[in-house]
Amino acid sequence: MRSLVEQQLTEIAAGTPGLSAAPPVVADLYLDFVAEEEAIQTGREIGLPYGLEDLDLVTSGMRPGNVTVIAAQSGVGKSTLALNAAVAAAKTGARVLFSSLEMSSTELMQKIASAEGSIAMHHLTRQDGLTAEGWKTIERLGRELFRTLPLRVYRPDGAALRDIESAARACVRGDGLDVLVVDYLQLVEVEHTRNSSREQAVAAVSRGLKNLAVNLDCHVIALSQINDDGLMRESRAIKNDASVVIKVERPDIDEPESPRADEVDLVIEKNRFGPRATVTAAAQMHYSRIIDMART
């Protein structure tokens, strides 16, 4: 009996089959750590921008293998913030995939044109809304932005996580992928057993997106709805899987005459790369954009 126990302990100590050597000690990691830190400190290796200077400063930008959750109630501006971030990252040459389960490709293009061309959204969405000058702006954006921007838009036929994963992997096999945006998390479906709860299903989506970020070495922005009590719908796992959680709040939503009209608070509730903080920005929703206060 003793020999059998010793044999089992030896097998446990041997670890995972195929692992031929023990993981490295910190002494072996030190030189790589110093090289990476030098790259960070000199600006040669930085996170991709969200497009807001204060937000980039606090979070150090979007880093591969990590997940940012942008959470808000419906109509507050989480999709606008995410699309602004997607365009800002793509402008640096980063390869971005925006997967929308809510908006059509035309709606996304309208929002980008509105934000980048300072064209009021209602001029783009109604008959004869565009003036001759507006059409000139659209043509200019085509030449200077849309033809070269490495931003892909994916509107899956269904809402399954496997479809989003398949599209992301197709991008990796093609030109590559640096940022994946999923709008929004609670609409994504996963295969689950008959007895599993909605919370377990959402948790599976959250974990799937985190694994995708790690496996594809890209950054994932996952949008999430929140309840009236300010909590993310249906799963605590969303916050656990994220490296950064940004809650979007509009002080003027319930108070149109608020002295803080057209302002938005980006409440950073979780931040693995820095402090928790609140960044206040300008909400120019008629142009489908959220910008730094200094630009107003």
Side-chain angles (χ1 to χ4, degrees):
M1 176 65 71
R2 181 179 177 81
S3 60
L4 178 60
V5 171
E6 289 176 346
Q7 179 182 347
Q8 291 174 335
L9 289 174
T10 300
E11 291 174 354
I12 292 172
T16 305
L19 188 63
S20 58
V25 294
V26 290
D28 297 328
L29 300 176
Y30 178 72
L31 291 179
D32 287 340
F33 158 69
V34 171
E36 290 179 9
E37 190 60 29
E38 286 179 346
I40 292 170
Q41 295 300 316
T42 56
R44 288 181 287 116
E45 182 179 316
I46 57 176
L48 292 169
Y50 290 98
L52 295 166
E53 290 185 6
D54 289 341
L55 185 59
D56 292 336
L57 182 64
V58 175
T59 61
S60 299
M62 296 183 280
R63 296 168 176 265
N66 290 277
V67 176
T68 293
V69 169
I70 298 177
Q73 293 180 335
S74 179
V76 172
K78 61 181 180 298
S79 295
T80 296
L81 178 62
L83 187 56
N84 291 172
V87 173
K91 282 182 176 180
T92 71
R95 298 148 301 183
V96 183
L97 174 63
F98 196 105
S99 179
S100 176
L101 301 176
E102 277 204 310
M103 293 183 286
S104 67
S105 299
T106 298
E107 289 175 295
L108 287 168
M109 292 293 285
Q110 287 171 335
K111 282 182 169 291
I112 296 172
S114 177
E116 296 299 315
S118 297
I119 304 172
M121 267 296 291
H122 67 278
H123 289 166
L124 288 163
T125 57
R126 66 179 175 84
Q127 184 178 359
D128 297 326
L130 279 176
T131 62
E133 195 63 33
W135 275 114
K136 287 182 181 179
T137 300
I138 295 293
E139 293 170 3
R140 177 181 59 80
L141 290 174
R143 294 191 309 270
E144 299 177 3
L145 181 70
F146 288 120
R147 289 183 183 176
T148 58
L149 197 68
L151 171 62
R152 296 180 183 273
V153 173
Y154 177 57
R155 180 74 185 272
D157 293 333
L161 177 61
R162 64 177 178 273
D163 294 329
I164 296 172
E165 291 175 339
S166 179
R169 293 184 187 280
C171 290
V172 171
R173 291 193 300 270
D175 299 331
L177 182 65
D178 299 302
V179 179
L180 167 65
V181 183
V182 178
D183 183 11
Y184 59 92
L185 198 150
Q186 282 85 359
L187 291 179
V188 181
E189 298 174 356
V190 291
E191 295 181 3
H192 56 278
T193 62
R194 182 183 303 176
N195 295 326
S196 63
S197 66
R198 176 60 184 163
E199 181 173 350
Q200 290 171 324
V202 173
V205 173
S206 177
R207 175 49 53 181
L209 292 176
K210 172 61 179 177
N211 290 339
L212 199 62
V214 173
N215 294 335
L216 301 187
D217 196 32
C218 69
H219 190 92
V220 171
I221 300 177
L223 278 62
S224 175
Q225 289 275 28
I226 62 174
N227 295 319
D228 292 337
D229 57 7
L231 299 177
M232 276 180 279
R233 284 187 183 175
E234 295 158 328
S235 182
R236 298 177 183 175
I238 299 172
K239 189 171 184 177
N240 293 337
D241 292 329
S243 295
V244 176
V245 176
I246 303 169
K247 186 180 290 185
V248 185
E249 298 180 350
R250 290 276 303 280
D252 61 349
I253 285 292
D254 297 321
E255 294 182 58
E257 302 302 321
S258 168
R260 298 190 60 204
D262 299 323
E263 291 185 7
V264 59
D265 287 334
L266 306 179
V267 183
I268 305 170
E269 291 195 340
K270 181 179 179 180
N271 183 9
R272 286 184 178 160
F273 307 109
R276 294 194 297 174
T278 296
V279 172
T280 299
Q284 296 184 340
M285 306 312 289
H286 57 297
Y287 289 148
S288 291
R289 67 191 182 197
I290 295 173
I291 63 173
D292 289 303
M293 293 294 287
R295 291 177 54 191
T296 59

